[in-house]
Amino acid sequence: MTKIDLKYMPKDFTFCSREDCKRHETCLHWRAYVERPIAERAYFYDHRWIEEQGGTELCPNFADSAPVTFACGFRHIFDCMPKTQAAELREKLLELYGEYNYYRFCRGEFLTPPAVQQTILRIAKELDITAPIQFHATETMPYWGDIKIKKQK
């Protein structure tokens, strides 16, 4: 089992200590619990839910610990396309993510999760943009949920 990097883990991330869960080895809640120093561990699980299901059902709090690829900035994607297409794409992204989030994603201050990357590519395709859409850099890590991850230097 590969060690996971906890540097982007949210401070309020919940842990699970249940080794009797069928998927505990691939669950991010359990992996985060096991890989934290003992003094920093907290406990999280809904014991009643497991008992009601006879201990055979999958946990509703399961979060896959498989790493995903985040993009770090996309300011230069507009350089390779006509100004009208760049303006349309920028307008759609601003409308969708708001000014604050858009500029943080664009500059690489927030890591761009896979869902946002796919949305950018989908919108570009809808606008018939044929220029290659390339992000500045990428970083691979577990997906900690829908949070804004500030890029660490």
Side-chain angles (χ1 to χ4, degrees):
M1 181 166 32
T2 308
K3 188 167 175 63
I4 59 173
D5 187 355
L6 302 175
K7 73 179 176 183
Y8 290 115
M9 183 180 71
K11 292 186 186 332
D12 62 347
F13 192 74
T14 53
F15 303 100
C16 177
S17 61
R18 294 193 64 103
E19 291 188 21
D20 59 337
C21 176
K22 289 181 179 182
R23 297 172 75 184
H24 76 274
E25 289 188 8
T26 59
C27 182
L28 193 54
H29 295 283
W30 184 81
R31 298 272 316 270
Y33 170 77
V34 171
E35 295 184 25
R36 290 285 297 247
I38 292 173
E40 297 178 19
R41 291 182 184 175
Y43 295 88
F44 156 77
Y45 62 87
D46 186 353
H47 188 70
R48 289 177 318 238
W49 190 88
I50 299 288
E51 285 177 356
E52 288 169 8
Q53 301 301 320
T56 60
E57 296 296 317
L58 298 178
C59 176
N61 299 304
F62 176 79
D64 196 346
S65 64
V68 296
T69 302
F70 287 79
C72 306
F74 56 87
R75 187 181 309 179
H76 296 292
I77 65 171
F78 304 108
D79 297 347
C80 299
M81 60 183 78
K83 289 184 193 260
T84 55
Q85 286 184 327
E88 282 182 283
L89 180 58
R90 189 176 292 111
E91 182 181 313
K92 293 263 188 201
L93 294 175
L94 278 165
E95 184 180 299
L96 189 60
Y97 295 109
E99 196 171 307
Y100 180 82
N101 289 329
Y102 166 79
Y103 284 110
R104 298 303 179 286
F105 285 140
C106 189
R107 292 184 204 130
E109 293 173 24
F110 286 163
L111 297 180
T112 308
V116 175
Q117 295 171 50
Q118 291 304 315
T119 300
I120 292 169
L121 295 172
R122 180 183 51 76
I123 292 171
K125 187 176 179 180
E126 288 171 3
L127 295 173
D128 293 325
I129 295 173
T130 56
I133 305 289
Q134 294 181 334
F135 299 95
H136 297 176
T138 59
E139 192 164 330
T140 303
M141 64 180 170
Y143 185 69
W144 297 103
D146 266 351
I147 57 168
K148 305 293 185 296
I149 301 174
K150 290 187 179 182
K151 187 168 192 306
Q152 296 184 355
K153 298 174 185 184

